[in-house]
Structure formats: C-alpha cells, structure tokens
Amino acid sequence: MSNSIGNNLMQQSWLPSTVLEPQSRINSSCTGGNTLIPPQATSLARKSPLSTEFGGIKLTTQTKKLSMGKHRSHLVFPQAVLAADPPSKVVEKFKLDGNFDLEVDVKAPYSGSGFIVDIRVTPYRDNFILHWGALHSRKGQWVLPNRRPDKTQVYKNKALRSRFSKSGDSASLRIEIDDPKIQAIEFLLFDEARNKWFKDNGGNFCINLPLPHGEPGVSNVSLPEDLVQLHAYLRWERKGKQMYTPEQEKEEYEAARTELLEEIARGTSIQDLRARIINKTEVNESKDHAPPERISIPDDLAQKQAYIRWEKAGKPNYSPEQQMKEFEEARKELQLELEKGVLLHEIREKIEKGEIKTKVSKQPEKKKYSTMERVQRKKRNKEQLINKYASRSEQEIIISEPQPLSAIELFANAKKDEVDGDIVNQKMFDISNGKLLVLVTRSANMIKVYLGTDVKEPVVLHWALSKNHGEWKEPPLDVLPPGSVTLGTAVQTNFSHSFSDHMTDKVQTLDIEIEDDGYLGMPFVIVADGKWIKNNDSDFFVEFDVKPIQFQPASGDGEGTAKALLDKIAALEGEAQKSFMHRFNIAADLVEEATRWGELGFAGILVWMRFMATRQLIWNKNYNVKPREISKAQDRLTDLLQKTYISHPEYREVLRMIMSTVGRGGEGDVGQRIRDEILVIQRKNDCKGGMMEEWHQKLHNNTSPDDVVICQALIDYIKSDMDISVYWKTLNDNGITKERLLSYDRAIHSEPNFRSDQKEGLLRDLGNYMRTLKAVHSGADLESAVANCMGYRAEGEGFMVGVQINPVSGLPSGFPELLQFVLDHIEDKNVEALLEGLLEARQELKPLLFKPNDRLKDLIFLDLALDSSVRTAVERGYEELNNARPEKVMYFISLVLENLVLSVDDNEDLVYCSKGWDQALNMYKTGDTNAALFAKSVLDRTRLALASKAEWYHELLQPSAEYLGSQLGVDRWAVNIFTEEMIRAGSAASLSALLNRLDPILRKTAHLGSWQVISPVEAVGYVVVVDELLSIQHKSYERPTILVAKSVKGEEEIPDGTVAVLTPDMPDVLSHVSVRARNSKVCFATCFDSSILADLQAKEGSLLRLKPTSSDITYSEVDEDELTSSSNLTVDGPSPSITLVKKQFSGRYAISSEEFTNEMVGAKSRNIAHLKGKLPSWIRIPTSVALPFGVFEEVVSDDLNKEVAAKLEDLKKKLHREDFHVLGEIRRTVLDLSAPPKLINELKDKMKTSGMPWPGDEGQERWEQAWTAIKKVWASKWNERAYFSTRKVKLDHDYLCMAVLVQEIINADYAFVIHTTNPSSGDSSEIYAEVVKGLGETLVGAYPGRALSFISKKHDLSSPQVLGYPSKPIGLFIRRSIIFRSDSNGEDLEGYAGAGLYDSVPMDEEEEIVLDYTSDPLIIDNSFRQSILSDIARTGSEIEKLYGSPQDIEGVVKDGKIYVVQTRPQM
C-alpha cells in the first residue's frame, strides 16, 4: 500500500457510510487519567457487528473494523515533519462552537531550552479560562507543572486554571514547559460569562510535545507502513473526516508517522503500538512481534460489490441469512482480485466500471406493480378488519391510589405556607436519584429563592445571576449565603440539611435572598457527590420576572375530562413554550399518567398536541435548541406512544391521532442533518447571505414544522422562474404570514433572491433537504414514510453527517413493489387505480400494526401517510365523478369507506356498511330493480355511522378542548370548532361529501323524491328553526308554528302550538313522535334535500303554507289573512281536559288472561286476551297474566314500605309545586319498594297455572330481577315525556293507574308493527308495515335508522312492495325470558294517544348486536322475503277483520312463525 492514507481512503466516496457508531471513540491523539473531565477510553479496534446495506437490503456481518466516531466541525492542520529534523513546530487549529477559532502553537525545543506553548482564541472574549494539566505518560494522571502563567490558580489540587489576556483581536496565553518528563499537555476551555465548556469532540484537547533534538533510536527504526496507515486513518476520523487535497493527505500521512516515531522514542514498542491501535487481545495471544497484517478488502468496497450482485440477481428480498452470505461472497470476489496483485484503487475503478466478474443467478422476477395500470386487489374477508374493544361505558378509568407525599413534596407544601410575598415561579426538576424544588417569591424589592432536594449525597449549588439570556454574572457579595465560594463569574454554595416533624427523610435546603436589580433569573448547575448534574445537557435556569400565561377561568368544572392531568399540562405550558424539545419531553413524561387515566388521558394529550400543531400555542420562546435535540425528544415521545399502542390496543385510534400531530423524530443523525445540510446547501450554491442566512440562523436556533413549508415555498419559487408571488402564496396557503416569519426568535426579514444559474443546484439540494425536514417533522408525509420503512442512505459531505436508515424487517413479499406503484402514480389525475394501490398497501400493512416490532412507529407513520394520501387523492378525484353513473360514485364510496375502516377502532358498524356497498354494487351489476333502494338504505346507515363517530369524537375530545383551551388562552373560535376540525382532517369528511353527491342520484333512481311524508296534514304557520326537538318539547307556542328541527329521534313530544315538524332526521313512521303527529293532526315530514332544507331555514320568521301529498311537500309564503281562513291551524288555547276514572285495588295481586276486564287491566291486556282462539292457528298468541290496577298503590301502602311511602308523598308534593327535578328521584324511590309475600305467591301461582316459567325456580336472584322489572314499569308513570304529556291535556296524573301485563319473551328473529290503513296516505286499501331484525324495541323506541318498510294491497296480500330497506345498525336479542309491559288506564283514550308513553321492561338485559344485512335472508333471499312479508300482511288483514276497524299491531317472527303480542285501534 502506498504512503497515502489508505490509497485515498479518506475520500468520502470511498468510506463505508454504514459503519455503526462505536461504544468508544478516539477524541484526541493522547489521553489522560483522573482529570476533572476525563477523556474517553481509546479502544481503536473492536470485533463488532458491521451493518451495511445495498439497495434497501440490510446486510450484517462480523468483521474487524476501525471505530468511527461522529463527525466534528473543527478542523486540524498539523504541519508535521520527522521528529529527528530540528527545529520542529506543531500548529493545531480547532473550530469551536460559537464561531470561535482555537490555535495551539508549540515551538520545538533546541538543546538546553524549554518548550513554549502559545494558545490563542479568536475573536477575543474577556472571560476565557484554560483548565489544564500536563502528562508524563499517556496513561498517567495530570501533573501540575511548577512553572505556570501569572495568576494561575490551583483547582482542587487536580488542575490548573489560567486566564487569557487580550492580544489584538484574540485572547492569548503562553505556557512554558521546562520539565523534560512532560510529554503532552491536556486542557479544556471554560467561558465563565456563559458557564460553557469547550471540549474536543466531547473529551480533552491534547497537544503532544515534540521529542527533544537528537533523541536516540528514532531515525533507524523500521516502522510498518500498515501501522502508519491505520494511525493516519484514526487522525482523519478524529479530525472530522475532512476532504483533503493530495498535498494535505501527504502531510497527514507523514504527521502520523512522526507521532508513532515519537512514541517509539519514548520507549513504546512497535508491538505495544499495534496492540493499542489494532486490538489489544491479539497481543495477549503471542508475545512475539506481530507481523504486518494482510491487506483486507474495505467494507465499503464489499458493500458496493454486494449491491452489484443484488442488482444482477433482480433485487430480491433477501432474508438476513442470505444477506450475510451475499456480503461475504462479494468480499471473496474482491479478495481474489487482490491476491492477483490488483491494487485497491484499481479494484475500486473496476467496480465502478462493472469489470469485476461475479457469479450470481437471477432470482425469479416478481410482479412489477409500477408497470401495471392498476394493482390486483386480493380477496379478503372484510369481517377480519373489525377492531372491537370495550365501549367507553364499560372501561374503567384506573387511577392509582393517592401515594403518600414524598419528603420533597411535604417540604414544598410547608414552604409555600411559610413564605412571604407572591410565589412567582415554582419548578420541580428530576436530578440524579432525587428531585430538586425551586420556589421563587417576590415582595417589595426583594427576590427570594428557596431550594430543596431529597438527594442523599452532599449537594453544592454552582450558580450565578443573569440580566440577559445565556449570561452568567457573579452575584453581589452581600447576597451570598454563608460559606459560599466565589469562582469569578460563578459562586458555589453548599446545601444544608433540614428536618421537620412531618418529614421522615432529610431534605437539603438552601435559601438565597436577592435585591431586585433587573435580574432576569438564576442559572445554575448542581454538584452532587462530586458529579456535575445539568438539565438535559443544558444549564438549569429559573426565571425571576415570570409573566405567567393569562389563564382564563376554566370552562366548566372539567367534567368528562382527565381534569388533574389537564391542570398539570396547563401548569407546565410555560416550560413547554421554550421549545419543541421541552414540549415533547414534557409530553413523554405525562404518558404514564395519561395511561392511568385511560381514554380521557390520551384525549387530553391529543388536545394539547393539536393546539400546538395548529399554532395555537407558542413554539419557541427565547430558547436555542439543536435540531437533533428536538428529534431526540420526538423520538422519546413516539417510542413511548409505540409502547402504549401495543400494550393498550383500546387506545390505538387516539394514539394514532397524537402521533400524527407530533412527527416521526429520529434520534441522532437525522435531526443533526437539519443543522448541517443547510450550510452545505449555502456553500454549494453560493447563497450564504440574505434570506438563506436568516433561515439558516432560524434552523440552528429552533427548527419547526414551519421549515417544511418554507422549504416548499422556496422550491415553488425557483420552479416558477423566481416569481416571488409564488413564494408568498405557498407560505400563506399553509398559514405562514410575513408577521409569523418576523416572530421567530431568529426572524426572517428578507425574501429569497436567487440567480438563474443557481436554479438546478438549488432544486436538487432543497429537494433532498425536504426529505430531511419531513423525516423529523412530517410523520404523515408519504415519501419520507416509505423511505423510513424501506430504508435509505444519505451520504455525508464535509462536516455533514451521513444517515443510514435500515429497512423494517418482516415486510410482506412484494410490498416494496406495491409502494413503488403508489409513488409512481401518486400524482395521477385519474385516481381510481391509485386509490386501489393505496388501500391494498394499507391492507397488507394492517397485520403488522398489531404485532410488536421495534420499528412499529415507522409502520404506523407509513399507515398514516397512506391514509392521508387516500384523502388527498379523493379530493383530487371529485372531478372524475362529474356526470358519473351511480355505480362509479358507489365504488368511490366503498374505497373511501374502506380507508376509514382501516383508520378507526370500534369499526364493526362501518365494516358492515362496507359489505353493504359491495352488495349494492353487485345488485347493480345483476340488474336488480331494487338496487337503488337498497343502496339508499346503505347510504343512510353509513351516514348514521359517521354521525355516531362524530358524536364519539365530540364526547371524548370537546370537553378537554373546552377546559384546556380556556386555561391556555386558546382563541375561542379554535376551541369551538376543535372536534369539527378533527373530523374534517380524517376520511369521514371525504366520505360524507361523496354520500351527499350520491344521495340525490339514488333518490331519483328509486323514485323517492325529496321528502318522506309521515303525517300528511296541510298547515299554515311561522317558521322557527331549532337544533333539537327534544330541547323544546315542553314549550308552548302562542301562534301556529312550523318547526324546522335538525334532530328528531322519535321519542319526543310535539310542543303545543306546533302545526308542522320538518326535519332532515329519519324517525320511523311508527315511532312515538310519528304517531303523536298523526293523532294530533300535525304535519310531519323528513326532508332529504339539503338545499330545500336550507331554504326553509332561511325563511325563519316567515309565514308559510305547507301542502303535502303522500310523497312530497310544496310550500309558499302567505299573508297573515290566510291564518283566519285556516280553521284547523289556528291555536284555540289549551287542549281540553280529559277525565280519568281512578281504578281501585280488587284485592287480587295477579290474574290470568281469562280474568282480564276493563276494571282490572288496560286495553293492551284486554285486546291480547280477545285474540285468543279467534285467529287462524298459524297466528300464535303468547300466554299472558297481569298485575291488575291498584296493585302498585297497595304495595306502597304495605307496612313493609312505610318509609318509601312517606318519601314518595314528600316528593309528589314537590312535584305539585312544579319542581320537575324530582321526577327522577320519584322513579328511583319506587325501586326501593319491597314485594309483599302475598304478591309473590299469587303471581307465582298464576304464571305456573298458565304454563309460564316462574323466575324464582331459577333462584332468588332471578326473582329479584323480575321484581325490579315490575317496579320499573310502575316507575315509568313518572317519565318526563309521559308526565308532561298528561299535563298538556290536563289529565289528572294522580288518577293514572298502571297494570302490568306479563308475557313470555319470544327470542325473535324479526319484530314488526302493522298499520292496517296506510298512515302516510290514509289509503285504507293498503296495509303498511315495518320490520326490524331482533326485538321490536328498536322499532318503537328511539333507536337510530329506518326499518324495512313495505305496503301490501289488501286484494293482493301475496305481492308485498318494499318501500325501503333497513338502515338500523343495531338489533336487540335476548335469552328466553319474561317481559313486563305497561298497561295504563291512560292509553288509547278518545282524543289522547297514551300508547308508547310508558315502559315495557324485560327481566333480562337485551344484547345489542351490530347487524350485517348482507347475510340476512330477509334482504338477500327474495322468496324468503316475499313469504315473511306476505304472512305479516295477512296477519294484519285477519286482525282488522276481527275488530272491524283499522288496527295498530305488534308482533314477532320466530323460525318463520308469526306471533302477535298486542293490538290496539289505529289512531
């Protein structure tokens, strides 16, 4: 090997960029022991894994390698000649942080003279101190020379401290060495004013002294050239891996030779040199002189050859074992060349020309997604996508039991009670193995600082005062606590021990009292047991002039939030505002507490991070932080979120949203490149001034997500041929204004101003820089997310670090090609194929998101990026849907819904909606005439699912946004729309837009029109717009009113004075409110056209006439004169009173159906008894018994219930005084009743005699369940809806009596309600019915969605016509059980429809099942549907014939058989 550094080994392009960071590294050419800041151990050669990569394939091999440290920014230019040639001179130059230059000039000695060491720091600073010592040997401790510069102080008998003096524009210091034993000096620089140490790559600066002239035995020594080459390499690595000219390479090589000769001259053997430089273990194996090692192939050459082999093999996806084998095969091929006599640099040239012979078989070629027009979607079972976790109501928020206060917490509480003045600052720091409290108070002109720590070891405060940021100013002598020692610009003061009765542990304390003289605060570090402790590598700093956030009163009491956690976040916001590093570290510290709070805890973290991401909180406040420190803090936070993602899968949806606000981060080199790469861009493209320099200063001070936007703005500006308006448009579109640019700590004042010849280079380099910025700040950026998962390498340049990201292991076969297809088509105008590719990638990725993986967060960020790309593509593809057929829009909907399913948890309803869209598309393809009608039902269900998800977001997030936002002073508008904006940022918003586009198309195709008219009554009234009918159901309007209500659930009352209710909501035609509307002759209709609804809302206050038909409503504005002509629409005052006859207790607690009479039970029980034996045998009637009228009153009067009776009387008196809040208390009190033994015995006897199961036979607990259900029926007399309904018609509530109908529950497949006259049209020739899956409570109760509805002509009952398919997401199912039905004397009265006001209660809880209609035979089997619906229609016809009048009938279907559970006259 020639005498250059490894044949240009130092050239950047020759070095393996993937060598792992060593555990130890060389900091200087000499080391010392037991210094104040000892140098790091010198382990020059290790056997350690070498990770290398070619083409995204990670290779791992065991090989001996040189330890390679991190890159440094200082430069060293030794001017070395052989030590045998006097006079010699050594000059070393270093580049220090803060743009300081350090130069050390050692004058070589002549015979009889001493050494002179001149040290200069430029530019001059007044407070530089040299902290130094000398070395007699490389392994020795520092010695303190007797000859020292003037005013040198001895520091703890371990080091010397000498001050610099001014020399021109430099600070200079001369040291004279006259001790011939001294071989080197070591030192550190200390800037007292800033309390800053300057080190040499983390260790001591070390300057070797030249050998004395004429030292024997040097010039004749034969020094192995391989040893010189290795030492030259280490010098190059130590000096920052600079790009050297050939002349500099030669100088470096000879300087390395000189250093080794000096070592030999001092008595070190070549064997020992080799052991220290190469591997100490090899020396122990043999005491003989180690022969020169055989030249081996450098790893970077083996890596390049392995890459060539991989390309020739077709870029296969190798296993780790195959990767290892390939790397070794490549090395063998090159070793063969070396053994032929080919030199390394010649091998390198042959590799670059592809002239190295290689034997490799091409692997079978995989499918190339990127060359195809679209990907081939795999067939999957969609139900495997269901993520189902316990609902919020079932989760228990586990808060750890309050722990006893620690000694330091007790001290803090006691001190706050004792101090005078206002507490202006309080901080608690984690230090060593304890905590440090700092409490600052201010009174008059005095500032008092109270410090306390529970650290066990002796603690010293090394402190100063500061009037400017970063300043260390010596405190006045009169403020120093006793025993303080001054050290120039700093003071050291010992803590003292404190004891208290309420503290079991010692607390060391220190109080400092300072006169207010404009001090900003106190910088300090802690010395505990001789160890220096800092605050995350920075000085501690406590502010005196704190201007706390102007907290507004918290919105509400924090109900529905993790209040204690939010309070802690608010208290820490002042610290978090310093920088992203602080904010992310604080968030990481809070993850454990958030986990204890559960879902609400992570909701609080999400709200806080979202406020940050939307710039509602300060990003940086007078604090300089390095990009790598920000990315390290991000990395710490995202690592903890990743860990929680695995351990608590029920919180994954919220955790994903948190991660999307934070960014990926990345400890180490990725963050550092932000700082370094901008300098390279400036240098390479000659753009060092103006805006680029201002941006550079901002990046060095505190990088943020704004930098991604600034970089994009520069790229857009350059692409537009330097159109400055394009630059500002990009900035403004992304929320960055000129004012924001000026608000940075390092403001950007200037606009970019580039030359045309800079365009190509800047576009290239800024494009690469964008990847670095996005890698840290943009977790959801697709390109950077793909790169992080697939692996990439960014070469270093000069002082700039290189970056090596290895591929994530375990990716599916063909996944890289799939991602490449996505990247190749990401900008396509026609987005359908792109959407398929994105979703196929997400489907392939999904299984990996549920498995532990040390790179899981990279997979999550990739999934977030794919999700975001789907939304972007959909928005871009809206134009593609213009004039599209319904099938095209439906397919887009199915794709967007699939994306939403993959993004959220508790997605079972959405999965079944997705299956529904597949079914609808299949019906279209097969020409099914009901395809549009079925698609409309799936659309309605999908809307309900989106609304349910939005409600969940609002319930989870909005209370935290309100509470925390008010405390942090967030703009009110940002708080108000917080949840809305969170929803808009997801796939749900895109899906909703597509549904709105499809809805009118389907309604037109299915001939549904814009309205569903539930109660077709003509009306004239004034328009009033309300949010919820529920909120105004008890109001009374003085003039005829048309209510336009955004929400109608189905259980509400209609307010007095209302002549019409119009809503976009979809209550069932047979819901309570629908029945009420028809009975009260109130127009009631659902409007499906948003433009019509908006027009009606815009007419608020206007007088309108509504003219409905069975399927449409027309409206027009009219004069008030028309009110008088509308006889049925004027308000004539209160409704007439209806008389109730109070029923008496008959003396019997239970009766059979044969004993049902008007005096004993209500119409519900009598009607069901009347049916028995009078209907065809295929219509079944369940067995019934009843608790007759008066039983409730008798039970209350029983001696068992005296206390309950007294309480009920008191509550009813309050109710008579219109204290309506007691209604709920009355219901709860009824549940306290005890059952008289006679009631139990009679009910048991009647049920068993009738053939019904007796609950008590299964145990006392089962009877208690039945008794509770009975009491709930009685208590429903005091339901708000029922109570106010009776008040409205002046019905005497005390006279209302409640019988209880007892029936065995049939575990139904379907439930139905029949109206034997069509209630919408009033057509008596049509039977109208609705059917739901499961129990009928979802049909008559306030359950969202529509039932299957159909009509049947009475002359053709075998040909039912489906009007609408079901959209109800929930079905109720129950075990074999008993139901207790309300049967009051207030139902079905003339002029008052009381049916449905009171509760029917099953003994057992119903189970809610999310319904999949694509597997329901009633939906997919035409013959089954026709059979069941025809039987239901015939049942209605038979019962109507029996009674001779229109009937309202309820029943169920079980195993194809019809059961009727009740009937009453249709109102």
Side-chain angles (χ1 to χ4, degrees), residues 348-360:
R348 189 178 298 279
E349 291 174 357
K350 293 182 73 174
I351 289 176
E352 291 174 353
K353 294 178 182 178
E355 296 176 355
I356 301 292
K357 292 183 179 180
T358 181
K359 296 180 180 179
V360 62

Side-chain angles (χ1 to χ4, degrees), residues 337-377:
E337 294 290 322
L338 201 61
E339 292 172 359
K340 294 176 185 177
V342 182
L343 298 178
L344 278 177
H345 76 274
E346 294 173 337
I347 290 177
R348 189 178 298 279
E349 291 174 357
K350 293 182 73 174
I351 289 176
E352 291 174 353
K353 294 178 182 178
E355 296 176 355
I356 301 292
K357 292 183 179 180
T358 181
K359 296 180 180 179
V360 62
S361 301
K362 189 163 185 177
Q363 302 292 317
E365 188 169 346
K366 292 184 178 180
K367 187 191 304 181
K368 299 289 186 180
Y369 282 105
S370 59
T371 61
M372 299 173 61
E373 290 185 3
R374 61 203 308 157
V375 300
Q376 184 68 39
R377 297 297 308 272

Side-chain angles (χ1 to χ4, degrees), residues 537-548:
D537 298 326
S538 301
D539 298 335
F540 293 98
F541 186 80
V542 59
E543 293 175 299
F544 296 161
D545 189 21
V546 175
K547 295 179 180 178

Side-chain angles (χ1 to χ4, degrees), residues 1144-1396:
Q1144 301 298 321
F1145 178 56
S1146 65
R1148 301 166 66 184
Y1149 284 98
I1151 58 176
S1152 65
S1153 59
E1154 291 79 11
E1155 300 170 293
F1156 291 176
T1157 67
N1158 185 52
E1159 295 301 317
M1160 303 284 278
V1161 294
K1164 186 182 297 182
S1165 300
R1166 298 195 308 274
N1167 287 337
I1168 203 69
H1170 180 68
L1171 294 177
K1172 292 190 71 173
K1174 299 181 178 68
L1175 293 175
S1177 60
W1178 56 268
I1179 303 176
R1180 293 163 173 80
I1181 308 297
T1183 303
S1184 305
V1185 299
L1187 281 73
F1189 292 138
V1191 172
F1192 168 70
E1193 291 77 10
E1194 185 68 15
V1195 169
V1196 172
S1197 65
D1198 194 285
D1199 289 344
L1200 284 171
N1201 298 305
K1202 283 183 178 179
E1203 292 183 7
V1204 176
K1207 185 175 180 181
L1208 283 173
E1209 281 302 314
D1210 289 340
L1211 292 171
K1212 286 194 280 187
K1213 287 176 182 177
K1214 292 181 180 180
L1215 185 61
H1216 291 156
R1217 295 195 295 268
E1218 299 194 348
D1219 182 0
F1220 302 129
H1221 294 95
V1222 301
L1223 285 169
E1225 184 64 20
I1226 291 175
R1227 293 196 299 274
R1228 288 188 292 271
T1229 303
V1230 169
L1231 298 183
D1232 293 333
L1233 291 170
S1234 298
K1238 191 174 182 182
L1239 181 151
I1240 299 173
N1241 293 332
E1242 288 191 22
L1243 182 59
K1244 176 180 178 180
D1245 178 66
K1246 290 297 180 183
M1247 290 181 68
K1248 283 196 166 188
T1249 303
S1250 300
M1252 297 175 67
W1254 169 244
D1257 288 345
E1258 300 178 55
Q1260 181 63 24
E1261 182 181 348
R1262 292 290 288 162
W1263 158 246
E1264 291 297 336
Q1265 284 181 253
W1267 176 235
T1268 299
I1270 292 169
K1271 290 185 290 185
K1272 285 182 178 180
V1273 175
W1274 286 336
S1276 70
K1277 173 180 174 179
W1278 287 275
N1279 281 339
E1280 279 81 2
R1281 180 164 61 91
Y1283 181 78
F1284 287 111
S1285 179
T1286 58
R1287 277 176 57 88
K1288 183 188 296 185
V1289 295
K1290 304 251 187 276
L1291 189 149
D1292 191 336
H1293 193 262
D1294 289 338
Y1295 278 33
L1296 189 134
C1297 294
M1298 185 75 70
V1300 179
L1301 176 64
V1302 184
Q1303 293 179 318
E1304 186 174 0
I1305 288 182
I1306 298 157
N1307 188 6
D1309 300 321
Y1310 306 99
F1312 59 82
V1313 172
I1314 307 169
H1315 280 195
T1316 57
T1317 293
N1318 189 331
S1320 296
S1321 63
D1323 189 345
S1324 61
S1325 69
E1326 288 179 346
I1327 289 176
Y1328 175 89
E1330 293 185 345
V1331 185
V1332 295
K1333 193 168 178 63
L1335 299 179
E1337 182 60 24
T1338 61
L1339 181 56
V1340 298
Y1343 283 79
R1346 302 292 292 276
L1348 182 147
S1349 59
F1350 72 95
I1351 59 171
S1352 182
K1353 294 293 185 180
K1354 292 177 181 177
H1355 67 270
D1356 188 8
L1357 296 173
S1358 299
S1359 303
Q1361 178 187 347
V1362 175
L1363 301 180
Y1365 284 91
S1367 61
K1368 286 185 179 291
I1370 297 295
L1372 296 180
F1373 297 87
I1374 198 169
R1375 56 176 283 186
R1376 185 182 181 218
S1377 186
I1378 302 294
I1379 189 168
F1380 301 89
R1381 299 182 184 274
S1382 61
D1383 191 22
S1384 76
N1385 62 340
E1387 300 182 40
D1388 305 321
L1389 298 176
E1390 184 67 31
Y1392 173 67

Side-chain angles (χ1 to χ4, degrees), residues 101-122:
D101 293 314
L102 169 65
E103 183 175 306
V104 183
D105 185 349
V106 182
K107 294 183 179 179
Y110 288 92
S111 180
S113 65
F115 297 103
I116 298 174
V117 181
D118 287 321
I119 304 175
R120 288 179 296 278
V121 181
T122 307

